[in-house]
Structure formats: structure tokens, C-alpha cells
Amino acid sequence: MTDLRTSPRTETEAVTRPPRARWRRRRPIELFDIFNGAVLGLIAIVCIYPFLYILGVSLSDGHAVLNNQVVLWPVDVNIETFRYILTNERLGVVRSLLNSIVYTLAGTIVAVGLTYLTAYALSKKRLPGRRVIMLLFIVTWIFDAGIVPAYIVNSGLGLVNNPLIMVLPLAISTFLLIVTKAFIEAIPEELEESASIDGANDFQILGRIYLPLSKPVIATIAIFYAVQTWNSFLWPLIYLRDASLQPIQVVLYRLLLGNADQALNFQQTISNGYLVIPENIRAATMLFAIVPVLLFYPYAQRYFSKGILVGAVKG
């Protein structure tokens, strides 16, 4: 009868034998792989090139830009354009950048708070009329009244030329409300029941159970609200008439108008021996409007799949 116990020979072979993965043959590269890589690489170049070109123009001397010498890399590198923007109050770039930061922070905090509290209330079956309330949210989401009725309502509320126009009307997104509600409903109800038995009230259950478990969805909707407020253009263009209240996107639009805006009508200037032209100013302002999102978005992107998809799977 054969002894099934491991012999010294088999132990030695198990130690010296290389893993099977090393002996597996790699799949040969096919024509589809080459084509797929080429297409994806081309798309990446098309997406990255505008950013590199804007960076190159903002860091180049005006003479090189006028002579079309800037293709990808900056020519005669200098930071005089950024120095000119940061020290010129007439342009208002620094003021508008601070306005955008304040609007984004305040709008995100208010929107996340209202969205989560509304979703928490609508996720409870004991709330009377919760289906009707949710239906009203969906109806107003699908059938938008338009710009003119919204302007009449906001004007009647005194929100024209008021910084609160960047916070209150954009506070709750129905799409993000649905995502948050689905996430909260996926949390086991047994946790709430056990806490209620121990004597916890609704505020204690919300603060000690639901909020700690809802960090992924809170981070997700915070990203969406922050990007939405930062990139908001039409809303402040219509309602914020005072230049001191306008965000960076509106100031960038006024810079792109060029000669159509007499307040920003400039041709060129010399700064420390370097020529600064309108193209330099516009490119540098674009970087001020783009870079904060580029720095923030990839860092928080890891919350997206968990924050959105977890609430969609229940059972």
C-alpha cells in the first residue's frame, strides 16, 4: 500500500519547483492590441495637448507666442504673466479666484448637508408622504422651468447680485439625492433597531451609526457639488452683476471677450524685459480655473465607485 505522506523527495521538489505562473506562456500580442493601444494613445494625446499648450503659452515670452513658436513647450520661460495677473487689480483674477473658493466651500458644505439630511428622511418608511415628496423632486428634475421663470423667482427672493445665489438654488441635486438615498437604504436596519433598543434617539442614530458608515457617499456627492459650483458659469453670469462678486469663470469669459469689454481692453505690456500679451493673460487665467479641479479630482476619485455602486446593490 502506497504511503500518502509526503516524502523528503517531494518536499525538496516542492521547495525548488518554480511557481506555475513562471512557466505560463504570455499571450502573443495581436493586431487588435496594437490598434487598441494606438487609438487610446491618440485619445490621450488629444486630451493632454491643450493643457500643455496652455501651460506653454502662459510661461512663454509674448514675442514667441506672436511668432507661433510655442507648439508644446514654453519658449523663453518666465513667470511674468503670473506676476502681472497677481499684482494687477484691474483684471480682478485674484479677487474672482477667492470668490470661487468661497462659493465652492460654502456651496459644497450646504449642499452636502441638505442632501444627506433629505435623503436620510426619505429613506425612512415611517415618514408620511415620502413617496409624494420624492415624486416632486423627480418631477422638478425632469421638467425644468427654464431660465426666465427661475430668474423671476430668484429676483423676487432678492438673490440677484447676492452671493447666496451660488449656494441656495444649487443646494440639492435630485440625482445625488437618489444616490444618497439608495446608499442609506442599503445600510442594515438592524443597526438602527439595536440602537433604538439601547435608548438612542434619531439624532444619535444619525450621528453615531449612519454618518460614519456614509463617508464614501458623502465624499462622492461632495466632489460632484464642488466641481459643479467651481465650474458654474451661466448662473453667476446672469445673477452676479457686480464685478467684485463674480467667480473666476466669469472673469475668464470677460478676458476672452477682449476688446468687447472696455474694463479689460489691453493690448500688451513689458514686465521685467518680457512681453506680456493678451494670449499670455488668458492662458494663465485658464490655468487658475483648471488646476484646482485637476489637483482635487484625482485624489477623491477613489470614492466614486464605492460611493455610487454600493447603494445600488442591496440584498
Side-chain angles (χ1 to χ4, degrees), residues 94-111:
V94 177
R95 180 183 62 247
S96 63
L97 186 61
L98 294 177
N99 290 339
S100 293
I101 294 174
V102 173
Y103 296 153
T104 301
L105 291 177
T108 302
I109 294 174
V110 173

Side-chain angles (χ1 to χ4, degrees), residues 53-68 70 81 85 252 255-256 258 266-269 275-287:
Y53 178 76
I54 292 173
L55 179 62
V57 172
S58 63
L59 294 175
S60 299
D61 181 67
H63 293 97
V65 178
L66 292 175
N67 295 329
N68 295 325
V70 180
T81 301
I85 289 177
L252 178 59
L255 286 173
L256 293 176
F266 60 94
Q267 296 298 326
Q268 59 188 27
T269 184
L275 178 64
V276 179
I277 61 176
E279 285 76 6
N280 297 120
I281 301 296
R282 292 163 187 161
T285 307
M286 290 180 189
L287 288 179

Side-chain angles (χ1 to χ4, degrees), residues 182-252:
F183 187 96
I184 295 176
E185 289 177 345
I187 298 177
E189 297 180 357
E190 289 77 9
L191 297 176
E192 181 179 357
E193 294 175 357
S194 60
S196 300
I197 295 175
D198 293 337
N201 54 34
D202 290 334
F203 292 101
Q204 292 174 337
I205 294 174
L206 174 64
R208 298 182 180 181
I209 296 179
Y210 282 93
L211 283 178
L213 296 176
S214 302
K215 290 181 180 179
V217 74
I218 291 176
T220 301
I221 63 175
I223 295 167
F224 278 106
Y225 279 125
V227 174
Q228 170 187 327
T229 307
W230 181 270
N231 292 331
S232 180
F233 164 71
L234 185 60
W235 207 256
L237 181 65
I238 296 174
Y239 294 99
L240 297 179
R241 302 170 182 173
D242 191 353
S244 62
L245 300 176
Q246 294 174 347
I248 187 66
Q249 307 296 341
V250 177
V251 173
L252 178 59

Side-chain angles (χ1 to χ4, degrees), residues 156-170:
L157 295 175
L159 295 178
V160 176
N161 212 27
N162 189 335
L164 292 177
I165 195 66
M166 298 294 295
V167 178
L168 297 181
L170 306 175

Side-chain angles (χ1 to χ4, degrees), residues 17-307:
R17 184 183 302 167
R20 291 185 177 180
R22 296 182 181 180
W23 295 97
R24 291 179 182 175
R25 295 181 179 179
R26 295 183 179 180
R27 185 176 65 87
I29 299 177
E30 300 177 355
L31 181 61
F32 174 77
D33 298 330
I34 299 176
F35 177 78
N36 192 22
V39 171
L40 294 178
L42 181 61
I43 294 175
I45 293 174
V46 171
C47 294
I48 295 175
Y49 176 76
F51 297 101
L52 296 179
Y53 178 76
I54 292 173
L55 179 62
V57 172
S58 63
L59 294 175
S60 299
D61 181 67
H63 293 97
V65 178
L66 292 175
N67 295 329
N68 295 325
Q69 297 177 358
V70 180
V71 179
L72 185 61
W73 307 110
V75 179
D76 295 334
V77 180
N78 65 91
I79 59 172
E80 295 305 320
T81 301
F82 295 95
R83 184 177 299 174
Y84 179 80
I85 289 177
L86 296 176
T87 56
N88 193 325
E89 297 181 358
R90 183 171 62 90
L91 295 177
V93 175
V94 177
R95 180 183 62 247
S96 63
L97 186 61
L98 294 177
N99 290 339
S100 293
I101 294 174
V102 173
Y103 296 153
T104 301
L105 291 177
T108 302
I109 294 174
V110 173
V112 170
L114 292 178
T115 301
Y116 189 85
L117 292 177
T118 305
Y120 176 77
L122 293 175
S123 65
K124 302 305 175 185
K125 297 180 181 179
R126 63 178 183 273
L127 176 67
R130 70 187 187 101
R131 296 183 181 274
V132 177
I133 298 174
M134 195 65 209
L135 180 62
L136 293 176
F137 274 104
I138 296 176
V139 168
T140 57
W141 179 36
I142 298 175
F143 302 99
D144 191 3
I147 297 178
V148 175
Y151 183 87
I152 295 175
V153 173
N154 292 324
S155 177
L157 295 175
L159 295 178
V160 176
N161 212 27
N162 189 335
L164 292 177
I165 195 66
M166 298 294 295
V167 178
L168 297 181
L170 306 175
I172 296 182
S173 170
T174 304
F175 168 71
L176 298 180
L177 176 65
I178 294 174
V179 171
T180 308
K181 179 175 174 292
F183 187 96
I184 295 176
E185 289 177 345
I187 298 177
E189 297 180 357
E190 289 77 9
L191 297 176
E192 181 179 357
E193 294 175 357
S194 60
S196 300
I197 295 175
D198 293 337
N201 54 34
D202 290 334
F203 292 101
Q204 292 174 337
I205 294 174
L206 174 64
R208 298 182 180 181
I209 296 179
Y210 282 93
L211 283 178
L213 296 176
S214 302
K215 290 181 180 179
V217 74
I218 291 176
T220 301
I221 63 175
I223 295 167
F224 278 106
Y225 279 125
V227 174
Q228 170 187 327
T229 307
W230 181 270
N231 292 331
S232 180
F233 164 71
L234 185 60
W235 207 256
L237 181 65
I238 296 174
Y239 294 99
L240 297 179
R241 302 170 182 173
D242 191 353
S244 62
L245 300 176
Q246 294 174 347
I248 187 66
Q249 307 296 341
V250 177
V251 173
L252 178 59
Y253 169 73
R254 295 172 60 202
L255 286 173
L256 293 176
L257 287 180
N259 296 333
D261 195 334
Q262 296 297 326
L264 300 176
N265 185 9
F266 60 94
Q267 296 298 326
Q268 59 188 27
T269 184
I270 300 295
S271 178
N272 294 332
Y274 291 97
L275 178 64
V276 179
I277 61 176
E279 285 76 6
N280 297 120
I281 301 296
R282 292 163 187 161
T285 307
M286 290 180 189
L287 288 179
F288 280 118
I290 295 173
V291 168
V293 178
L294 292 179
L295 295 178
F296 173 74
Y297 201 82
Y299 170 76
Q301 189 178 7
R302 57 194 178 100
Y303 292 102
F304 276 9
S305 59
K306 186 175 182 180

